[in-house]
Amino acid sequence: YANGAWKNAGGAPKLQKLILPAIEKQLLKMRSGELGLGAQKHAAKVFDELIKAGEIEAPRGEEPPAAKFEFPPPEGLAPGSKAAAVVAGKASAEASELNFARQSSGEYADDVLGAQAVFAAQPADVRHFCNIVAKSCVMEGKRRKMAGPKIAALTADTLELIIKTQGETSQLADLHAACEDVAKAALGETRYHAEAADGANDDEVLLYVENLLLMYGAGHLLLKNTTLEMKKNHRYGVVGQNGAGKTTLMKEI
């Protein structure tokens, strides 16, 4: 740390002595905490090296607490807008839906996971996180038009990683059964046992992208809010005039 500046400038001892006052001045500014905690810690390392080398004396006084960096409040936000809510630290309506709480429609049930032994033994914050992850897996499975058992398997594989980080593996055998109950609570018994929509197996899906945005050239819009789906054992052709964006689309794929 300490020798980087003067070595880059040539490394001569005379040069080191010449720039040392400027280095010490900058280090004192960093040590004061004016530039933040990271700069303050860096200054402590550099001071330690220079003091051991006998180049400078130890700074006097206690190291003051570093100033916390804060973004200045933005201007021009419309009251009640989504941007204003984000700045204020308020969760949006979409984020609130990830709570996986019981809803009046009965689509999701918070007590499905909590009633399972593998989750009941976990701390409250871990159970809450597992609820959010399970809801996310169900939403992803529905988006991909997966069958109920495959949604349950996706949920189980994801939650298993979380449970293992807590050091609890004795009851993982019950995890898949618990996730089946979650998928059934979310989809309903009839839909859970039904195949994916339009009879297609999700294993046949080779590529699936929602809300595709594609531009080319000097900002020319090619696709917006487009769903791109490609399946195995199918042939696809791209037809268009010169400059329509065929090559750009193929590169994106």
Side-chain angles (χ1 to χ4, degrees), residues 113-122 171 174:
L113 288 182
Q116 306 295 331
V118 64
F119 296 103
Q122 300 298 325
Q171 296 176 320
D174 301 328

Side-chain angles (χ1 to χ4, degrees), residues 4-249:
W6 74 272
K7 282 186 176 179
N8 288 336
K14 290 183 179 180
L15 180 60
Q16 182 180 10
K17 292 181 180 180
L18 184 64
I19 67 174
L20 193 56
I23 292 178
E24 184 175 5
K25 181 179 179 180
Q26 180 65 23
L27 289 175
L28 289 172
K29 183 178 181 181
M30 295 165 64
R31 183 179 181 272
S32 69
E34 179 183 344
L35 302 179
L37 182 60
Q40 190 179 60
K41 290 182 177 181
H42 183 73
K45 293 180 180 179
V46 179
F47 263 124
D48 185 58
E49 289 186 3
L50 292 175
I51 292 170
K52 288 180 180 179
E55 300 292 344
I56 60 175
E57 296 182 357
R60 299 179 181 179
E62 295 292 331
E63 186 177 83
K68 293 184 178 180
F69 177 79
E70 296 182 357
F71 287 102
E75 299 178 357
L77 295 180
S81 64
K82 288 186 177 181
V86 171
V87 172
K90 298 179 181 178
S92 63
E94 292 83 358
S96 299
E97 291 181 358
L98 294 178
N99 195 22
F100 202 67
R102 180 186 294 274
Q103 299 182 7
S104 57
S105 64
E107 187 178 5
Y108 300 107
D110 183 38
D111 59 352
V112 173
L113 288 182
Q116 306 295 331
V118 64
F119 296 103
Q122 300 298 325
D125 57 338
V126 175
R127 292 199 306 271
H128 178 68
F129 182 65
C130 288
N131 284 330
I132 295 175
V133 171
K135 172 68 178 294
S136 178
C137 290
V138 172
M139 292 176 65
E140 176 66 14
K142 292 171 66 176
R143 184 185 67 81
R144 293 168 55 185
K145 302 179 182 178
M146 297 171 63
K150 294 196 174 182
I151 293 179
L154 172 65
T155 307
D157 292 342
T158 308
L159 292 179
E160 183 176 348
L161 298 175
I162 301 174
I163 300 301
K164 284 183 176 180
T165 61
Q166 301 300 311
E168 178 59 52
T169 58
S170 59
Q171 296 176 320
L172 284 179
D174 301 328
L175 181 61
H176 284 271
C179 292
E180 287 181 4
D181 292 340
V182 170
K184 289 177 181 178
L187 303 174
E189 287 284 347
T190 302
R191 186 175 177 184
Y192 175 83
H193 294 288
E195 291 296 326
D198 64 63
N201 192 320
D202 53 279
D203 287 339
E204 297 178 359
V205 177
L206 185 65
L207 175 66
Y208 188 89
V209 181
E210 281 189 343
N211 300 321
L212 177 64
L213 175 65
L214 190 60
M215 304 181 73
Y216 69 100
H220 297 288
L221 182 63
L222 178 61
L223 297 172
K224 182 180 180 181
N225 297 331
T226 303
T227 298
L228 174 63
E229 182 177 10
M230 303 182 72
K231 298 181 180 180
K232 297 179 181 178
N233 302 319
H234 286 65
R235 291 184 179 182
Y236 298 92
V238 181
V239 181
Q241 298 178 353
N242 291 340
K246 299 186 298 296
T247 303
T248 303
L249 175 61

